[in-house]
Amino acid sequence: MHVRHGHPCAAPARALSWRTGLCLALGSCLIAATAQAQTGTGTGSNNGSNSGNTMGNSMGNGGMGSAQDPRPDRPLIGAGEAPAAGNLRGSAMEPSLAAQDQHGTGGSYASSYAGSDYSWIPYTRRGYVGISLGNSDYDTPCGLAPLSCDSRDRSFAIYTGGMFNDFLGLELGLRHFGKADRAGGEARAYGANLSLVGMVDMENVSFYAKAGALYGHTKITADALSGVTTGTENGWGPTATIGLGFNFNRNFTVSIERSRDRFKLPGGAKTYVQSTALALKYRF
């Protein structure tokens, strides 16, 4: 008996019944598998494209638009949302302390007037320098004889200071009260002072008071018939000043001030020199 060999699907007609069914089943499986693979590829491509577009849009709009942040301790900020006050840790939007208020604890004008932290006086900030010109009034004796008794002359002062806070500061200055013709001679007084400064500084004006100690030098000359003790004397005495300032801007202030300083005279007596002056102050 001769047997033919070949593809199962090419069998004789008498065997086509079950072989034909097997071939049709295998072909259907291959067609279904191919269709499923094509559908999966298309879906994956579309999903990947959509995911990429979503991520790109989220990053373009809000920077971090994902639905879940791997850092649970840092709340998300979506596109168009304003950050909460407590969510600014490490953010570039967090203002520095110096930008908030260089002036310290002052109000609205304090921030705009806010001088620098630089000062020539140790342990102070918001330093300044100033100069004043005015008239002095000596209270030295005129003597017994009918001699000249002029008590006024020009006064001059330079000073520098700094503030411990918005209301209290320290100031160091040099003061010269000129000379006055008294008792056929002259009276001269000058010195250096160290004073505490109390200040109330508002937008356009400032009020201040200074109180401290002055180390002064006096020189007295007089006619021999005047009975006035002559010579020189050095010593400490109190000093006080009150003033009203007008703030032109954060740097310049023009003030009117009144001062009273006590000096020692030759022979142990003490006297006061008063002055009224116009002062110009510059803040660093």
Side-chain angles (χ1 to χ4, degrees), residues 205-224:
V205 297
S206 58
F207 301 92
Y208 58 90
K210 310 174 188 180
L214 177 141
Y215 186 78
H217 173 83
T218 56
K219 182 178 180 180
I220 304 296
T221 60
D223 189 275

Side-chain angles (χ1 to χ4, degrees), residues 126-216:
R126 289 169 47 205
Y128 59 87
V129 292
I131 183 172
S132 68
L133 296 171
N135 292 320
S136 60
D137 187 0
Y138 281 82
D139 191 21
T140 53
C142 291
L144 300 177
L147 302 171
S148 62
C149 194
D150 183 15
S151 61
R152 298 181 180 274
D153 199 15
R154 303 295 182 191
S155 64
F156 169 80
I158 57 173
Y159 53 88
T160 183
M163 303 299 292
F164 298 114
N165 52 46
D166 286 339
F167 307 104
L168 185 65
L170 189 66
E171 186 175 292
L172 176 65
L174 298 175
R175 304 172 64 83
H176 198 295
F177 298 94
K179 62 181 181 179
D181 294 331
R182 308 296 295 268
E186 293 178 347
R188 295 174 178 264
Y190 56 88
N193 70 286
L194 181 65
S195 303
L196 286 174
V197 180
M199 181 180 299
V200 177
D201 207 333
M202 295 181 288
E203 183 173 359
N204 296 317
V205 297
S206 58
F207 301 92
Y208 58 90
K210 310 174 188 180
L214 177 141
Y215 186 78

